Amino acid sequence: MHERHHDDPQELIGTPAWVSVVVGAVAVAAPGWVMLGFDLATAVTAGMVTGYLFYVFVHYAIHHWQPRPGSYLSHVRRWHALHHHFADEGNFGVTTSFWDHVFGTALESRRHKLHRSAD
């Protein structure tokens, strides 16, 4: 699906909602209930679902909306556009660039290091 998304970033491609619910229940909620108890595991699962929905919303918005310049969505849209432009070499984060900086996959950081080392 990721490759199809790169081929046509405007197309609505994704996992059907019922698959996400089943996978979430089987892979996250059920083991959590056994390890953490029902209340805590349900809270953790709800937090993960909320985070995932935020990611889905932001990813949709940066591909289909024209965000106001200087806004959060404008920043992450530019970040994600570099991911599309450089064919999966980096900038994997959609909602934040934090983990790209941690794992050294931030394309902007690499570009600045290359320019500095060439001087």
Side-chain angles (χ1 to χ4, degrees):
M1 280 194 297
H2 190 229
E3 186 177 330
R4 280 187 55 208
H5 170 63
H6 274 256
D7 291 341
D8 188 0
Q10 295 298 103
E11 185 181 351
L12 297 176
I13 301 167
T15 307
W18 69 269
V19 172
S20 297
V21 169
V22 170
V23 169
V26 171
V28 179
W33 292 333
V34 172
M35 294 184 304
L36 304 172
F38 183 79
D39 292 344
L40 183 56
T42 300
V44 168
T45 303
M48 291 178 72
V49 167
T50 301
Y52 178 69
L53 290 174
F54 178 70
Y55 156 80
V56 169
F57 166 76
V58 169
H59 194 235
Y60 176 85
I62 62 180
H63 279 287
H64 297 276
W65 296 357
Q66 292 295 321
R68 186 175 26 96
S71 67
Y72 164 75
L73 286 177
S74 174
H75 170 74
V76 294
R77 182 179 190 192
R78 182 180 175 281
W79 187 263
H80 189 63
L82 290 173
H83 168 75
H84 277 270
H85 181 70
F86 289 103
D88 271 352
E89 291 181 19
N91 285 25
F92 298 105
V94 172
T95 60
T96 180
S97 63
F98 177 78
W99 293 110
D100 284 304
H101 289 287
V102 169
F103 292 114
T105 57
L107 294 174
E108 286 183 340
S109 297
R110 286 191 206 165
R111 187 176 74 222
H112 290 309
K113 285 179 187 174
L114 287 172
H115 287 292
R116 276 191 238 135
S117 64
D119 293 340

